[in-house]
């Protein structure tokens, strides 16, 4: 959310949020060697704890508290392994392009209903009469809209305002395009100027998918789209969270949108090997393409460890080498391409794709070259 966990704690209450970074201390838990409670510097008796219902609250630092561990990571090795995996992923994409054609599954419009939606900041009270049902987001009418809470009531879970969308039964989000249309009225206070989209298999644990913080269209009945982005496998929920807008309520940006639409595409594809490689089968191409998808997910996962990166690299390299052998190519690829022919892609330092990078330090990948690049 761009904010920090506060240190003004009280027992068994949700964590406060603050705009000021806070210091925390690892307090050894009695009788649990190697485990710690995470507590603010001024309160070693209270720690950060995940309650039974999934809420993050303050709790004792005793043995019943959430237990935290420390893992030492060699940053240089981690970055090097990320760069190796990113480079091999690019080689795999080139090899598949040379091996034959891949026809992706067609995109389709997801059938959303009013039961697909939930918000942590549904408006309560006041004079907004339009929001009586979630159908306002799927009625093809820009004059009806959802407006998040702006009467200084906090959101239900203390997070920035969001709309959560559940995939239809027996479907998951995979390669999707999220589109929204602003309400049909000029009003700077509800203009969305930054958002993030997360994905979850269960509505409880969330993984970053994409962000946008510049270039968004504002004003009456304006359309914005993510373009196709990829969610982790098994994603049943996505969460559209507004992180900056023209107005705030209880320190959270509030917003209004009139329409929402989602197109989605599965991993299914048709693989046709080139005639000049008779030993290559569609399954050979599919195997490398699947390993490539797996590697991309690991590369972009903020939770990926050094061992995860190494394992994905080894798995991808083995499958890549198998296809090379069947194609009868002694070198990496017999048709090289200049790095400048590839578009530059940017990721934050956690490996999450950034469509519109602003100031800061980013991972930049262009062709086979991966660098850390500061943008000013």
């Amino acid at each position: 959310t761009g904010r920090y966990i506060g240190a003004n704690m009280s027992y068994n209450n949700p964590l406060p949020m603050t705009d000021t970074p806070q210091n925390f201390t690892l307090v050894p838990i009695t009788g649990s060697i190697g485990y710690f409670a995470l507590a603010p510097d001024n309160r070693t008796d209270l720690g950060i704890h995940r309650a039974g219902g999934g809420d993050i609250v303050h709790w004792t630092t005793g043995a019943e508290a959430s237990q935290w561990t420390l893992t030492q990571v060699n940053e240089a090795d981690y970055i090097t392994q990320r760069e190796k995996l990113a480079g091999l992923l690019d080689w795999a994409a080139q090899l598949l392009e040379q091996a034959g054609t891949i026809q992706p599954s067609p995109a389709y419009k997801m059938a959303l209903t009013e039961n697909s939606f939930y918000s942590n900041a549904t408006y309560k009270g006041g004079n907004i009469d339009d929001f009586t049902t979630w159908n306002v987001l799927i009625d093809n009418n820009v004059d009806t809209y959802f407006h998040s809470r702006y009467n200084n009531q906090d959101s239900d879970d203390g997070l920035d305002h969001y709309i959560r969308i559940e995939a239809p039964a027996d479907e998951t989000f995979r390669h999707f395009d999220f589109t929204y249309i602003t309400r049909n009225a000029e009003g700077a206070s509800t203009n969305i100027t930054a958002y993030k989209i997360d994905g979850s298999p269960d509505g409880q644990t969330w993984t970053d998918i994409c962000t946008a913080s510049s270039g968004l269209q504002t004003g009456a009945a304006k359309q914005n789209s993510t373009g196709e982005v990829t969610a982790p496998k098994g994603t049943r929920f996505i969460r559209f969270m507004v992180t900056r807008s023209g107005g705030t309520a209880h320190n959270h940006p509030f917003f209004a949108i009139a329409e929402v639409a989602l197109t989605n595409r599965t991993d299914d594809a048709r693989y046709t090997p080139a005639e000049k490689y008779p030993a290559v089968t569609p399954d050979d191409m599919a195997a490398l393409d699947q390993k490539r998808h797996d590697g991309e997910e690991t590369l972009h996962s903020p939770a990926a460890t050094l061992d995860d990166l190494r394992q994905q690299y080894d798995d991808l390299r083995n499958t890549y080498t198998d296809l090379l052998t069947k194609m009868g190519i002694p070198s990496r690829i017999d048709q090289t391409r200049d790095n400048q022919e590839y578009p530059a892609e940017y990721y934050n330092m956690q490996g999450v794709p950034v469509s519109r990078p602003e100031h800061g330090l980013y991972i930049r990948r262009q062709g086979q070259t991966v660098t850390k690049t500061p943008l000013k």
Side-chain angles (χ1 to χ4, degrees):
T1 64
R3 306 185 72 209
Y4 301 92
I5 296 172
N8 182 19
M9 301 179 122
S10 56
Y11 188 73
N12 202 23
N13 284 331
L15 299 173
M17 303 300 291
T18 175
D19 294 320
T20 304
Q22 304 292 313
N23 293 322
F24 289 82
T25 301
L26 289 168
V27 180
I29 295 177
T30 302
S32 300
I33 298 176
Y35 293 92
F36 303 85
L38 191 61
D41 282 352
N42 63 339
R43 290 295 299 272
T44 57
D45 60 320
L46 289 178
I48 298 176
H49 177 66
R50 186 178 187 275
D55 295 332
I56 305 300
V57 300
H58 305 125
W59 201 254
T60 174
T61 56
E64 66 270 31
S66 291
Q67 298 181 344
W68 302 74
T69 59
L70 290 176
T71 302
Q72 183 175 357
V73 176
N74 186 315
E75 182 179 6
D77 287 350
Y78 188 83
I79 292 174
T80 298
Q81 191 63 47
R82 282 183 56 83
E83 292 174 350
K84 287 177 61 179
L85 179 58
L88 185 56
L89 286 166
D90 187 68
W91 295 358
Q94 292 181 51
L95 188 64
L96 283 167
E97 182 181 331
Q98 183 174 329
T101 59
I102 302 176
Q103 183 179 352
S105 62
Y108 66 93
K109 185 175 181 180
M110 302 188 83
L112 303 178
T113 71
E114 62 178 319
N115 295 323
S116 304
F117 300 94
Y118 164 82
S119 175
N120 67 335
T122 303
Y123 191 74
K124 297 180 179 179
N127 298 316
I128 295 181
D129 298 323
D130 292 305
F131 184 70
T132 57
T133 169
W134 283 108
N135 277 331
V136 297
L137 293 183
I138 50 176
D139 62 359
N140 296 314
N141 183 355
V142 294
D143 291 318
T144 61
Y145 57 92
F146 167 82
H147 197 307
S148 74
R149 212 170 287 172
Y150 70 90
N151 57 353
N152 211 36
Q153 289 181 318
D154 199 1
S155 60
D156 295 340
D157 53 13
L159 299 178
D160 283 343
H161 297 180
Y162 61 78
I163 293 175
R164 188 189 72 194
I165 304 173
E166 182 177 3
D170 301 323
E171 295 182 34
T172 59
F173 298 99
R174 186 55 173 152
H175 309 286
F176 70 89
D177 185 348
F178 174 84
T179 299
Y180 70 89
I181 300 177
T182 62
R183 62 181 289 196
N184 191 25
E186 298 289 344
S189 63
T190 59
N191 286 341
I192 299 171
T193 56
Y195 67 77
K196 61 177 293 190
I197 294 181
D198 306 321
S200 172
D202 55 10
Q204 299 294 323
T205 57
W206 296 91
T207 301
D208 294 340
I209 294 177
C210 67
T211 63
S213 57
S214 64
L216 298 177
Q217 295 193 74
T218 59
K222 299 296 184 181
Q223 180 173 303
N224 290 278
S225 174
T226 60
E228 185 176 286
V229 294
T230 299
K233 293 178 183 177
T235 297
R236 287 278 304 147
F237 300 85
I238 61 170
R239 183 172 66 183
F240 172 77
M241 179 181 289
V242 174
T243 55
R244 189 175 67 227
S245 72
T248 59
H250 211 276
N251 296 319
H252 299 300
F254 60 77
F255 66 96
I257 57 176
E259 292 293 308
V260 163
L262 276 154
T263 59
N264 191 41
R265 186 172 61 80
T266 68
D267 280 336
D268 296 334
R270 177 179 295 176
Y271 301 90
T272 306
E275 291 183 0
K276 64 179 179 178
Y277 302 120
V280 175
T281 68
D283 287 345
D284 295 329
M285 294 179 63
L288 182 57
D289 201 24
Q290 184 59 62
K291 291 298 182 184
R292 188 175 63 86
H293 284 307
D294 293 344
E296 291 282 0
E297 287 197 7
T298 300
L299 185 69
H300 300 153
S301 171
T305 65
L306 181 58
D307 286 342
D308 293 335
L309 294 169
R310 286 172 172 161
Q311 185 63 57
Q312 285 296 335
Y313 179 86
D314 290 342
D315 290 347
L316 180 62
R317 181 185 58 190
N318 292 337
T319 310
Y320 173 84
T321 302
D322 289 343
L323 184 56
L324 269 180
T325 302
K326 289 197 172 185
M327 293 171 68
I329 300 175
S331 59
R332 179 178 65 83
I333 278 185
D334 61 3
Q335 179 183 354
T336 60
R337 295 170 62 182
D338 190 285
N339 286 335
Q340 297 302 318
E341 295 183 30
Y342 293 92
E345 300 172 341
Y346 290 89
Y347 306 86
N348 64 23
M349 297 310 292
Q350 287 72 48
V352 178
V354 179
S355 57
R356 300 181 180 93
E358 295 184 312
H359 305 303
L361 186 63
Y362 294 90
I363 297 171
R364 182 180 187 272
R365 185 173 77 178
Q366 187 171 23
Q368 302 166 30
T369 301
V370 180
T371 58
K372 285 199 298 184
T373 304
L375 297 182
K376 299 180 180 180

